Amino acid sequence: MEAKGIAVTQKAVEDLDPVKKPIKRNKYAFACAILASMTSILLGYDVGVMSGAVIYIKRDLKISDVQIEILMGIINLYSLVGSCLAGRTSDWLGRRYTIVLAGAIFFTGALLMGFSPNYPFLMFSRFVAGIGIGYALMIAPVYAAEVAPASSRGFLTSFPEVFINGGILLGYISNYAFSKLPLHLGWRLMLGIGSIPSVILAVGVLAMPESPRWLIIRGRIADARNVLNRTSDSPEEAQLRLAEIKAAAGIPESCDDDDVHVTKKRDGGGVWKELFLYPTPAVRHILIAALGIHFFQQASGIDAVVLYGPTIFQKAGIDSDTEKLLATVAVGFTKTVFILVATFLLDRVGRRPLLLTSSGGMIISLFTLATSLTIDDRSNKKQMWAVGLSIASALSYVAVFSIGAGPIAWVYSSEIFPLRLRAQGSAMGVVVNRVTSGVISMTFLSLSKGITIGGAFFLFAALATIGWIFFYTMLPETQGKTLEEMEGSFGHFWAKSKHNDSDQIQLAN
């Protein structure tokens, strides 16, 4: 009977043919993903605004380069607290109220940063804001993935990265807008005004439904059915998604009760053992893929460009504060435009080819940026062609990053984990992402002094090259697969661009 049930499910998947996209995207799922992804503005704004605000913080508080590095990068480590708590919190409170909690914590942190009288208080304020960012980074892509139908999952789960880039651009604009104010007031307004998106988020989240997967884990079948009917492309797909999630939660397919007692509830206990101590080959592969894609996304130096843009442009030969801030606005604008392009390509081109193309472009851009900065650094006078090449390379780098590696890291890691491991697995991906980002952010100025700024970008280019090899060998294509059948694509060392029948047979067995 079990084999027969699996065969029926596989036939249903084939009949649905997720590759065939509906004429119109599901507007309700679209709206839910937008509201959830707005939490990512919090991180984006903080990253963007600090790149310019730190120029004035250093002058006002008279702090050293080392203190600047710590101030810039420490929020990534602070966010680990929120990320580690978010997995358990989202399983306990639900995805929706975890988003509310993330916004409330960041709101408090942003206000505290705006009223900071000195460096220690500013560090404490960034600790509070960092916890909120950690919650937001983990929960937004998980919620979007669990609400989205298979045909639009890549499009909808890329929204967190869209809003991160939008937040970065807003931060850069804030830098420029408040840069002419008195020294003691300008940077405080830059940081404090970041509390506004948190208020909008808290109001908007009231219109969101809870994740159908969380509802089923809690035994609320009727509520989950209603959400799936509204977020699926067809009634047949909603029925199939319901059956798959019930099976993953340990609820018999024949059970049609509106509310059931789920004996297989998971609040995190035992998940860590399954992830790290006794993983199956497929789970081990999934974990390596999720952690690896987050590591290489950040190890390529994207936060060095985004956070230290003014410093990089100064090394390239731009001396005016206004011109440096305008150049960073150009970086933010480029990132935002290309991430919007990426959202429309993810479900058409696929994750794997887009990621490999993006990574290849990053390698070329990083080598070019490193070369131009080295030439300018060793020249006795300003080389205008090298200045222009440095700016063009930086813009090219953020463009190709945003069209692939930026959004795909969040999309891919949020969709490959099985339901029972998804919250904690996604949280671990965020941990790796933030630790790597923190290390890069907190060492970039010292690294630039030690091996020159050109040498730092040669190092990032080498790491991006290793990342391309990792992506090519370890990451199979996930386009068009339902979240519940994803596990069957993993367990093989050499990544496959398309899944085949043997994967489904292996999963069934």
Side-chain angles (χ1 to χ4, degrees):
M1 288 295 291
E2 182 178 346
K4 183 178 178 182
I6 292 172
V8 169
T9 300
Q10 290 175 358
K11 185 177 186 303
V13 172
E14 292 169 2
D15 290 342
L16 277 174
D17 192 10
V19 178
K20 296 178 181 176
K21 298 176 180 58
I23 297 174
K24 294 183 179 180
R25 295 187 186 276
N26 187 295
K27 293 180 180 179
Y28 187 72
F30 184 92
C32 293
I34 286 181
L35 288 171
S37 302
M38 282 179 64
T39 58
S40 302
I41 286 181
L42 308 181
L43 171 63
Y45 184 84
D46 184 84
V47 169
V49 79
M50 283 301 294
S51 70
V54 76
I55 298 173
Y56 307 101
I57 293 172
K58 183 177 182 181
R59 295 172 187 170
D60 189 26
L61 302 183
K62 297 177 174 57
I63 56 180
S64 66
D65 280 347
V66 173
Q67 288 176 304
I68 287 294
E69 283 182 318
I70 295 173
L71 182 67
M72 296 280 271
I74 196 68
I75 200 165
N76 293 297
L77 303 185
Y78 289 159
S79 68
L80 297 182
V81 178
S83 294
C84 291
L85 294 174
R88 179 66 66 89
T89 305
S90 66
D91 281 346
W92 174 45
L93 288 179
R95 306 336 189 197
R96 183 172 65 163
Y97 289 112
T98 301
I99 294 173
V100 176
L101 181 62
I105 296 173
F106 185 83
F107 175 82
T108 304
L111 285 182
L112 291 174
M113 285 192 289
F115 288 103
S116 295
N118 51 45
Y119 184 77
F121 193 91
L122 184 56
M123 287 290 289
F124 170 74
S125 304
R126 288 184 68 71
F127 172 72
V128 177
I131 295 176
I133 286 173
Y135 268 100
L137 277 174
M138 180 268 172
I139 196 60
V142 169
Y143 178 89
E146 293 185 345
V147 168
S151 64
S152 302
R153 193 175 58 246
F155 177 72
L156 297 181
T157 53
S158 66
F159 280 8
E161 185 70 12
V162 172
F163 281 98
I164 287 176
N165 282 272
I168 289 172
L169 179 57
L170 290 174
Y172 288 159
I173 293 172
S174 176
N175 289 153
Y176 184 75
F178 297 116
S179 62
K180 304 299 182 183
L181 293 176
L183 182 62
H184 71 283
L185 181 62
W187 67 265
R188 289 182 170 89
L189 277 176
M190 293 176 190
L191 299 180
I193 205 169
S195 60
I196 293 177
S198 303
V199 177
I200 299 172
L201 172 67
V203 174
V205 80
L206 297 177
M208 289 167 47
E210 185 50 82
S211 157
R213 288 173 173 81
W214 184 84
L215 290 171
I216 289 180
I217 289 174
R218 294 292 166 175
R220 295 164 56 181
I221 308 300
D223 292 337
R225 185 183 296 111
N226 290 335
V227 175
L228 287 170
N229 285 334
R230 300 185 70 182
T231 59
S232 299
D233 292 327
S234 67
E236 293 78 17
E237 183 186 5
Q239 185 178 355
L240 176 60
R241 290 172 69 188
L242 178 64
E244 290 173 333
I245 301 169
K246 284 167 63 178
I251 300 174
E253 186 177 350
S254 58
C255 179
D256 290 325
D257 296 340
D258 288 344
D259 294 284
V260 300
H261 176 69
V262 181
T263 57
K264 236 176 115 177
K265 276 186 184 176
R266 302 252 183 169
D267 289 316
V271 168
W272 300 112
K273 290 183 180 179
E274 190 171 352
L275 276 173
F276 293 103
L277 297 181
Y278 313 109
T280 64
V283 170
R284 185 185 299 113
H285 186 178
I286 288 171
L287 183 65
I288 292 172
L291 302 188
I293 196 172
H294 277 291
F295 171 78
F296 285 111
Q297 185 211 49
Q298 291 296 326
S300 66
I302 185 61
D303 276 3
V305 175
V306 173
L307 275 172
Y308 295 100
T311 301
I312 294 169
F313 294 132
Q314 182 178 3
K315 293 287 186 181
I318 301 175
D319 298 321
S320 165
D321 282 354
T322 300
E323 291 178 355
K324 285 185 287 189
L325 292 177
L326 281 174
T328 58
V329 170
V331 168
F333 181 77
T334 302
K335 279 179 64 62
T336 303
V337 169
F338 279 89
I339 189 64
L340 290 173
V341 173
T343 61
F344 293 98
L345 295 178
L346 280 168
D347 288 316
R348 291 175 170 81
V349 177
R351 284 54 154 168
R352 182 178 163 87
L354 201 58
L355 179 62
L356 293 175
T357 302
S358 168
S359 299
M362 289 161 57
I363 293 167
I364 295 171
S365 299
L366 284 168
F367 272 116
T368 305
L369 178 59
T371 302
S372 61
L373 288 171
T374 300
I375 292 172
D376 194 74
D377 189 46
R378 294 184 178 181
S379 177
N380 294 326
K381 61 179 182 178
K382 185 186 297 186
Q383 302 286 339
M384 292 308 299
W385 68 268
V387 174
L389 185 60
S390 297
I391 296 173
S393 300
L395 294 177
S396 170
Y397 171 63
V398 298
V400 293
F401 174 89
S402 296
I403 210 167
I408 290 175
W410 302 104
V411 172
Y412 201 88
S413 62
S414 66
E415 68 184 359
I416 60 177
F417 282 101
L419 174 62
R420 64 190 183 279
L421 309 175
R422 187 165 298 138
Q424 287 76 10
S426 297
M428 286 305 303
V430 174
V431 168
V432 171
N433 189 286
R434 293 298 89 198
V435 168
T436 309
S437 175
V439 170
I440 297 295
S441 304
M442 295 171 69
T443 60
F444 179 71
L445 294 179
S446 300
L447 185 66
S448 298
K449 290 179 179 178
I451 63 174
T452 75
I453 192 167
F457 280 102
F458 276 124
L459 176 61
F460 295 147
L463 289 169
T465 303
I466 297 172
W468 190 95
I469 296 171
F470 175 85
F471 300 151
Y472 185 80
T473 56
M474 295 295 291
L475 272 59
E477 181 59 77
T478 59
Q479 180 190 18
K481 299 178 184 178
T482 64
L483 295 178
E484 277 60 44
E485 70 174 335
M486 198 73 70
E487 192 172 351
S489 299
F490 291 84
H492 318 282
F493 174 74
W494 192 267
K496 297 180 180 180
S497 60
K498 296 290 182 182
H499 70 290
N500 53 38
D501 293 339
S502 63
D503 291 326
Q504 297 297 330
I505 294 170
Q506 182 181 12
L507 177 62
N509 292 336

